[in-house]
Amino acid sequence: MNAGVDGQGAKGRGGRSTIVDVADRAGVSKSTVSLVLSGSSLVAEATRERVTEAMSELGYIYHRGAATLRGARSGVIGMVINDLSNPFFVEMAIGIEQACQVGEYIPFIANSVENPARQLQVVRSMREHGAAGLVLSPAIGTSVAELKPLLSGMPVVQVMRRLPGLKTSIVAPENKDGARRATAQLIASGHGRVAFVGGFQSMVVRQDRFAGYRLALDEAEIAFDESLVFETMTNYAGGAAVVPQLLSHHAPATAALCFNDVVAIGLIRALGAAGVAVGSDFGVIGFDDIEEAQHTLPALSSVAVNGRALGTKAVQLLMRQLASGDFEPETILCPTTLVIRASCGTAASATAKSEARSEE
Amino acid sequence: MNAGVDGQGAKGRGGRSTIVDVADRAGVSKSTVSLVLSGSSLVAEATRERVTEAMSELGYIYHRGAATLRGARSGVIGMVINDLSNPFFVEMAIGIEQACQVGEYIPFIANSVENPARQLQVVRSMREHGAAGLVLSPAIGTSVAELKPLLSGMPVVQVMRRLPGLKTSIVAPENKDGARRATAQLIASGHGRVAFVGGFQSMVVRQDRFAGYRLALDEAEIAFDESLVFETMTNYAGGAAVVPQLLSHHAPATAALCFNDVVAIGLIRALGAAGVAVGSDFGVIGFDDIEEAQHTLPALSSVAVNGRALGTKAVQLLMRQLASGDFEPETILCPTTLVIRASCGTAASATAKSEARSEE
DNA sequence: TTGTAGGCGTTATCAA
DNA sequence: TTGATAACGCCTACAA
């Protein structure tokens, strides 16, 4: 009946041999086996060998769950990501996973799909399963009041995103500065009317990026025009969705700073489909610098955020807190780099064309 | 004996309240609390309410580890993926994760990065942490002899890839048929010399796809030319790497069936850089149909494999086996769809141009 | 250097 | 309907 992948020494109904089985086989007590497991130097070399041999003969596997119950740390970290279909967050997840492996932790993963209810479920589930800490990139619309009690007593690092009112450690890029430089770049290329596209006001990340955008406008003494700000979902579809409004504007923008790259790419594709040549007619800069940004046509300029490094740093911070037992919130900001590619446009032409269009 | 009757919540160093705390607070025994937890109908409504209330007052969290120790199933599934920087495997991972959530399982994730040693480590670690089963997309070069003992007694589903000699359940696409149809399509478009690009002979998936390629050649009565077969890593770089050999061939191919889409995209970009116009000079078909295939230039034809469905099916199969206790290996093959886009080329022109080139 | 005796949080088995 | 008690596999004393 119960075949599995042909088992060898499995004994007992559970099919898993225990420290006692090993002790029996090696002719020692279970304490001795325990000492061998923890690499103690108290145990005689000959004994150690007998024990080790017995273990491999039985196919013994250490039961961390039992050890944890007794008091050991669990070695499990939870990783809750809002959207794994965004390549940026995949990069982050890879960074998290890598850092966990280095630290001998093992990550639970959950994709909340921007769904706060689901996020609540998975966080609870992770706690039940004994996660020692959490790396969290919260879903849009998360209720802090509901989430907070589930997090009590456990170290949490919010990575990339952060929730106002949730005091945890944070690892995030320097959003404001990045957005400021990108906007300044578009302005310097001659774009007087720069739109801001994507995300929702409730998102802290967007507030930061938006602040950078505003700052650059101020520095260039360009009046802020609220009608050039577009809220959308932070995915390809969101970027594409704004194109009709963007083009039908009474005084159209000639460039856009996008909330992130997937929005920017959605925008570029839709603009292309509408006959607007991005790079000459219209300037676009995204945020994140995902791999695909190099391969769009035209190639997408972007504020580069090293997602993998972000994930790695988050885990390192978490592990440090786990090791020290000090969960005092700490914030790490990572610098960004503006990567200029063809999508910016030189924009003298863009302005001209746009004026022609608006005069129609 | 430190049971402490202090009416206040979280006690003990762990900061985590237990079933005993809840029992004290509700004025019942821990057995009763356990009954409430398992949703038993034996417990009086009033009691149940008192207990539930005590739980939320104390912020009680169920300790699955302890329950597992006592004999419950662990509710944890391991997911070991060879390469998360390939979007196809990300799709698969998302499918796995979704299906786990539906089944109230929670997935450990590990990215083996095509590194067999690392894969061994993470599989062991997952067992130690009590994973009840494994979804595995094995790394290239995995040693079955080393891996097998770690898998004994636990249900395993190999998804997408499979190792010869490792008898487990399998969920995979119909590789041979897909490759046959794709190759036939290239031939029907007039391509007489079709290369096969990517992967390594040791990979079963490649053997299958290669068999489909050979079959289509045979059916068209085209002689197989071994010099048109190229082994490479299964990533962007691998696809790009073959271009020099492809172009310097004494009788160049006019089309290529690629092992997967990332190889195909790498190839297309490198061909483009070398001045070969894919779609007119050269036909390319990939495998997987990742999202990016729609957006390359020219858009990439591909044998579509539904990665998300593959992952979902793998988990469902695993859960079924876990529930029944019957781990008898089972194989599920998923049909593929050939998606034709511009990269195929109409190829009359391709042949002509290629002949011109080879006459230089 | 090795053995014995709890106890971690939960569930199962009996009694009450 | 509820309560007492014995496991589950491991680790930490403490004893031999």
Side-chain angles (χ1 to χ4, degrees):
Chain A
M1 244 287 192
N2 185 329
V5 181
D6 19 356
Q8 33 192 39
K11 56 186 314 178
R13 316 137 307 288
R16 181 166 185 158
S17 44
T18 80
I19 198 177
V20 178
D21 300 326
V22 175
D24 285 354
R25 175 128 190 159
V28 299
S29 82
K30 61 176 183 167
S31 310
T32 307
V33 178
S34 182
L35 287 176
V36 171
L37 280 175
S38 59
S40 163
S41 56
L42 291 174
V43 91
E45 191 50 42
T47 313
R48 175 190 311 285
E49 272 174 29
R50 275 217 317 288
V51 171
T52 318
E53 197 181 343
M55 291 200 286
S56 68
E57 281 169 7
L58 293 176
Y60 167 77
I61 295 207
Y62 183 69
H63 193 311
R64 269 176 208 281
T68 305
L69 188 53
R70 186 61 181 73
R73 285 211 334 284
S74 83
V76 176
I77 285 179
M79 133 179 169
V80 180
I81 306 294
N82 53 290
D83 179 12
L84 282 180
S85 55
N86 181 335
F88 175 78
F89 289 107
V90 171
E91 275 296 304
M92 220 174 66
I94 293 177
I96 291 170
E97 196 271 343
Q98 279 183 340
C100 281
Q101 284 195 16
V102 171
E104 309 222 283
Y105 277 84
I106 177 159
F108 278 130
I109 188 171
N111 181 8
S112 68
V113 204
E114 303 288 14
N115 178 340
R118 192 166 201 176
Q119 179 177 257
L120 239 39
Q121 277 183 349
V122 300
V123 169
R124 163 168 291 275
S125 178
M126 285 176 175
R127 283 219 84 163
E128 290 185 354
H129 283 284
L134 214 60
V135 177
L136 172 66
S137 174
I140 295 174
T142 300
S143 148
V144 173
E146 289 179 313
L147 185 58
K148 203 181 218 162
L150 286 180
L151 265 28
S152 86
M154 130 196 272
V156 176
V157 177
Q158 292 186 83
V159 59
M160 190 64 188
R161 296 181 172 182
R162 83 197 105 113
L163 260 17
L166 187 64
K167 268 207 180 148
T168 72
S169 293
I170 290 166
V171 174
E174 287 180 338
N175 288 308
K176 184 173 174 183
D177 177 64
R180 187 188 128 270
R181 297 210 316 276
T183 310
Q185 170 69 33
L186 288 170
I187 294 171
S189 307
H191 294 286
R193 295 185 63 71
V194 179
F196 184 94
V197 176
F200 297 98
Q201 285 193 11
S202 63
M203 301 169 66
V204 177
V205 173
R206 194 191 111 126
Q207 289 162 19
D208 293 344
R209 292 181 185 174
F210 184 69
Y213 163 80
R214 289 294 307 265
L215 180 56
L217 292 185
D218 289 351
E219 286 172 348
E221 298 185 346
I222 295 178
F224 168 61
D225 180 349
E226 194 161 3
S227 68
L228 293 182
V229 177
F230 301 87
E231 290 192 75
T232 68
M233 279 305 291
T234 57
N235 52 26
Y236 293 110
V242 304
V243 167
Q245 304 161 63
L246 208 53
L247 295 182
S248 65
H249 196 281
H250 59 91
T254 66
L257 175 67
C258 291
F259 173 76
N260 65 14
D261 282 353
V262 291
V263 167
I265 291 169
L267 180 69
I268 287 183
R269 288 181 193 152
L271 282 174
V276 178
V278 172
S280 53
D281 291 2
F282 197 96
V284 174
I285 299 186
F287 220 107
D288 293 344
D289 195 30
I290 61 178
E291 208 261 351
E292 193 180 350
Q294 303 166 39
H295 304 297
T296 53
L297 255 170
L300 176 63
S301 301
S302 188
V303 179
V305 177
N306 188 335
R308 213 172 278 211
L310 231 57
T312 300
K313 280 185 182 161
V315 172
Q316 286 168 343
L317 173 53
L318 193 63
M319 293 192 304
R320 209 161 61 235
Q321 299 197 333
L322 248 15
S324 71
D326 175 8
F327 304 167
E328 206 53 47
E330 200 169 314
T331 295
I332 298 179
L333 289 186
C334 304
T336 60
T337 320
L338 180 58
V339 179
I340 306 288
R341 301 198 183 88
S343 72
C344 283
T346 33
S349 62
T351 308
K353 288 202 189 181
S354 159
E355 277 167 1
R357 205 164 50 233
S358 64
E359 280 164 8
E360 281 166 13
Chain B
M1 196 50 245
N2 56 22
V5 214
D6 50 342
Q8 286 299 3
K11 44 167 3 161
R13 323 126 303 288
R16 179 167 186 160
S17 45
T18 80
I19 199 179
V20 178
D21 300 327
V22 174
D24 286 354
R25 174 126 188 161
V28 298
S29 81
K30 62 175 182 170
S31 307
T32 307
V33 177
S34 181
L35 287 177
V36 171
L37 280 174
S38 60
S40 163
S41 56
L42 291 174
V43 78
E45 190 49 42
T47 313
R48 176 192 310 285
E49 271 175 27
R50 276 216 316 288
V51 170
T52 318
E53 197 181 343
M55 290 201 287
S56 69
E57 282 169 7
L58 292 175
Y60 168 76
I61 295 202
Y62 182 66
H63 194 310
R64 273 178 205 280
T68 304
L69 185 53
R70 188 59 182 75
R73 286 210 333 283
S74 84
V76 176
I77 285 178
M79 134 180 169
V80 181
I81 306 293
N82 54 291
D83 179 12
L84 281 179
S85 56
N86 181 335
F88 174 79
F89 289 106
V90 171
E91 276 296 304
M92 219 175 66
I94 293 177
I96 292 170
E97 196 271 343
Q98 279 182 342
C100 281
Q101 283 194 17
V102 171
E104 309 222 281
Y105 278 84
I106 178 161
F108 278 129
I109 188 173
N111 181 7
S112 68
V113 203
E114 303 288 13
N115 179 340
R118 193 166 200 175
Q119 179 178 257
L120 237 41
Q121 277 183 350
V122 300
V123 169
R124 163 167 290 276
S125 179
M126 284 176 175
R127 283 220 83 163
E128 291 185 353
H129 281 99
L134 214 60
V135 177
L136 172 66
S137 174
I140 295 174
T142 300
S143 148
V144 173
E146 288 179 314
L147 185 58
K148 201 182 218 165
L150 287 180
L151 265 27
S152 87
M154 128 196 272
V156 175
V157 178
Q158 293 185 83
V159 58
M160 191 65 188
R161 295 181 173 182
R162 83 197 104 113
L163 260 18
L166 188 63
K167 270 207 179 148
T168 72
S169 293
I170 290 166
V171 174
E174 287 180 339
N175 288 309
K176 184 172 174 185
D177 177 65
R180 188 187 127 271
R181 297 211 317 276
T183 310
Q185 169 70 32
L186 288 170
I187 294 170
S189 306
H191 293 286
R193 295 186 62 72
V194 179
F196 184 94
V197 176
F200 297 98
Q201 285 193 11
S202 63
M203 300 169 66
V204 177
V205 172
R206 195 192 111 125
Q207 289 162 17
D208 293 344
R209 293 181 184 173
F210 185 69
Y213 163 79
R214 288 295 306 265
L215 181 56
L217 292 185
D218 289 351
E219 286 172 348
E221 298 185 346
I222 295 178
F224 168 62
D225 181 348
E226 194 161 2
S227 69
L228 293 182
V229 177
F230 301 87
E231 291 192 77
T232 67
M233 279 305 291
T234 57
N235 52 26
Y236 293 111
V242 303
V243 167
Q245 303 161 63
L246 209 52
L247 295 182
S248 66
H249 196 283
H250 59 92
T254 66
L257 174 67
C258 292
F259 173 75
N260 66 13
D261 283 353
V262 293
V263 167
I265 292 169
L267 180 68
I268 288 184
R269 288 180 193 153
L271 282 173
V276 178
V278 172
S280 52
D281 291 2
F282 197 95
V284 175
I285 299 187
F287 220 107
D288 293 346
D289 195 29
I290 61 177
E291 208 262 351
E292 192 179 352
Q294 303 166 39
H295 303 297
T296 53
L297 253 168
L300 177 63
S301 301
S302 189
V303 179
V305 177
N306 188 335
R308 214 173 277 211
L310 231 58
T312 301
K313 280 185 182 161
V315 172
Q316 287 168 344
L317 173 54
L318 194 63
M319 292 192 306
R320 209 160 60 234
Q321 299 197 332
L322 248 14
S324 71
D326 175 8
F327 305 165
E328 207 52 47
E330 200 170 313
T331 295
I332 297 179
L333 289 186
C334 304
T336 60
T337 319
L338 179 58
V339 179
I340 306 288
R341 301 198 182 88
S343 72
C344 284
T346 33
S349 63
T351 308
K353 287 201 189 181
S354 159
E355 277 166 2
R357 210 166 44 233
S358 65
E359 281 164 7
E360 282 167 12

